[in-house]
Amino acid sequence: MPLGVRRAVQPGRFHVSQNSPLSVSPPQPQTGSAGRLVRKTAVDLVVDELRDRILSGAIPPGSALRQELFAEELGVSRLPVREAIRQLSAEGLIDMIPHRGAYVSMLSRTEVQEFFDIRMRLEPWLFRLAVLQHDEGDLDRAEQVVAQMDAAPPEQWGRLNWQLHELLYRSAQRPAALGMVRALHEKSERYFRFQIVNAPIRQQAHDEHKEMIALSRQGQPEKAEAALERHIAMAAEQILTIVDHLLDASALPQPA
């Protein structure tokens, strides 16, 4: 993947306010499974912070990630920063270059196209199987997720979108395929953020999701499969258009 222009992260460039989770000591508890409270580790907090900055574009594609500067800014040792970078590399958000360091992965049209090509082959098949043995409880929860997505900020929309699709597919009882699809959705989240800031696109996604839930309730696998194919194809077209625009803009000469 091309590396493009790399910019070193400067101290203080990305300000962490006093209300940031990283400045709170001890870390804030979250509700885990069975209602138990779990506390995020320093690594979890750094992963969340770096992921959010990368996905929001606050740290641009191609930027160099300097562990010592992030550790100083976020008030942690280098160890959790190093582990956070390793985890985000596994997610595809960071490239680890031997003898050179870590860099935010560049946007890639080829990558987007491949993600959606695979989704188009896997997800309609999974959905068709799921519709044949759909679970009303899962579909009720899917309706609730759609309502959450309507008001969700861009940084939460991709996670909710996956929750919705998982609820639509898991009745297929194909855990290996579901795991593959989940990985594709996670790798695509940065691109979903570019897409969903557009209000008409958000409304369109709402309508398409509601249609798929309705067809699943009605037990119509052929129509449900076709609706999902249209949904994936439209999302691919929208995101590829945005990525092309961003890549064109990044290729323009920058002012001195």
Side-chain angles (χ1 to χ4, degrees), residues 4-5 8 12 22 43 67 70 79 89 102 111 115-116 120 128 134 153 156 173 181 186 206 216 221-222 227:
V5 178
L22 290 170
V43 172
Q67 295 182 23
F70 276 115
L79 185 61
S89 176
E111 180 180 68
F115 287 165
F116 278 97
M120 185 65 83
R128 181 187 181 91
H134 65 272
Q156 295 179 14
Q173 300 181 27
V181 172
E186 290 174 346
H206 168 96
S216 187
E222 291 83 6

Side-chain angles (χ1 to χ4, degrees), residues 38-80:
V38 294
R39 291 185 180 274
K40 286 195 170 186
T41 66
V43 172
D44 294 331
L45 293 171
V46 176
V47 166
D48 289 348
E49 181 71 13
L50 292 185
R51 183 193 289 115
D52 187 65
R53 294 184 187 191
I54 291 170
L55 292 175
S56 68
I59 309 179
S63 296
L65 301 175
R66 306 300 185 199
Q67 295 182 23
E68 65 277 10
L69 298 182
F70 276 115
E72 179 181 354
E73 180 191 350
L74 303 179
V76 297
S77 70
R78 291 190 189 184
L79 185 61

Side-chain angles (χ1 to χ4, degrees), residues 181-227:
V181 172
R182 177 172 188 160
L184 289 170
H185 276 252
E186 290 174 346
K187 290 179 181 293
S188 300
E189 184 177 347
R190 69 190 303 197
Y191 300 110
F192 287 142
R193 291 203 185 193
F194 301 141
Q195 175 198 30
I196 208 59
V197 295
N198 183 298
I201 289 177
R202 187 185 282 252
Q203 181 60 49
Q204 176 188 322
H206 168 96
D207 295 342
E208 291 171 355
H209 289 150
K210 294 284 284 187
E211 178 188 16
M212 289 187 291
I213 293 170
L215 290 170
S216 187
R217 286 193 191 279
Q218 295 163 15
Q220 299 193 46
E222 291 83 6
K223 290 184 178 181
E225 185 177 15

